[in-house]
């Protein structure tokens, strides 16, 4: 059974930082491209950051130079370090694993507000 479990969300003030984690089980993690997506109320789900099996990365323009995605294949975990957070970063953040098949986590809420 595949499980992706996100953690690390919460309430943070503008300019603050959070680190999201996504622990995977039930898949050969190192063979999967891993991504972080987010969905704000009334908006479609969007790709935030992607890390491929060779650890190359891509980011949506709005988070470049603020967010960093990394992976630890020994721990089957992908991380999203989020710095200089803005109110418009408020959303539910989802972890996704893809290798042909696609698997999603349950999401973690990130709220940026003063």
């Amino acid at each position: 059974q595949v499980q992706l479990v996100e953690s690390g969300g919460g309430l943070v003030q503008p300019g603050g930082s959070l680190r999201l984690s996504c622990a995977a089980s039930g898949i050969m993690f190192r063979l999967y491209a891993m991504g972080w997506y987010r969905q704000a109320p009334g908006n479609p789900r969007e790709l935030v950051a992607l890390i491929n099996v060779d650890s190359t990365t891509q980011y949506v323009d709005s988070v470049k130079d603020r967010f960093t995605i990394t992976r630890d294949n020994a721990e089957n975990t992908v991380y999203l370090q989020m710095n200089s957070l803005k109110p418009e970063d408020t959303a539910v953040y989802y972890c996704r694993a893809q290798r042909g098949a696609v698997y999603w986590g349950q999401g973690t809420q990130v709220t940026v507000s003063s």
Side-chain angles (χ1 to χ4, degrees):
Q1 181 182 358
V2 178
Q3 281 193 309
L4 301 175
V5 180
E6 300 101 333
S7 61
L11 173 64
V12 63
Q13 291 187 342
S17 297
L18 283 175
R19 188 194 196 203
L20 304 183
S21 301
C22 171
S25 59
I27 58 172
M28 291 190 70
F29 180 81
R30 61 182 176 85
L31 298 181
Y32 280 72
M34 299 299 297
W36 285 98
Y37 289 70
R38 66 186 178 188
Q39 187 167 21
N43 289 350
R45 193 172 296 189
E46 66 168 351
L47 174 66
V48 175
L50 177 71
I51 186 164
N52 294 302
V53 294
D54 61 359
S55 293
T56 55
T57 59
Q58 65 184 76
Y59 299 90
V60 67
D61 285 347
S62 60
V63 309
K64 283 180 180 177
D65 300 322
R66 298 190 298 123
F67 290 11
T68 303
I69 187 171
T70 57
R71 66 189 298 158
D72 185 337
N73 289 339
E75 296 294 328
N76 292 350
T77 301
V78 61
Y79 302 97
L80 185 69
Q81 178 66 45
M82 306 186 294
N83 299 329
S84 302
L85 282 160
K86 304 175 181 180
E88 51 263 43
D89 295 318
T90 295
V92 178
Y93 283 71
Y94 296 91
C95 175
R96 187 179 96 151
Q98 179 175 357
R99 182 180 183 241
V102 173
Y103 302 99
W104 291 92
Q106 81 289 350
T108 185
Q109 176 70 46
V110 172
T111 302
V112 185
S113 175
S114 55

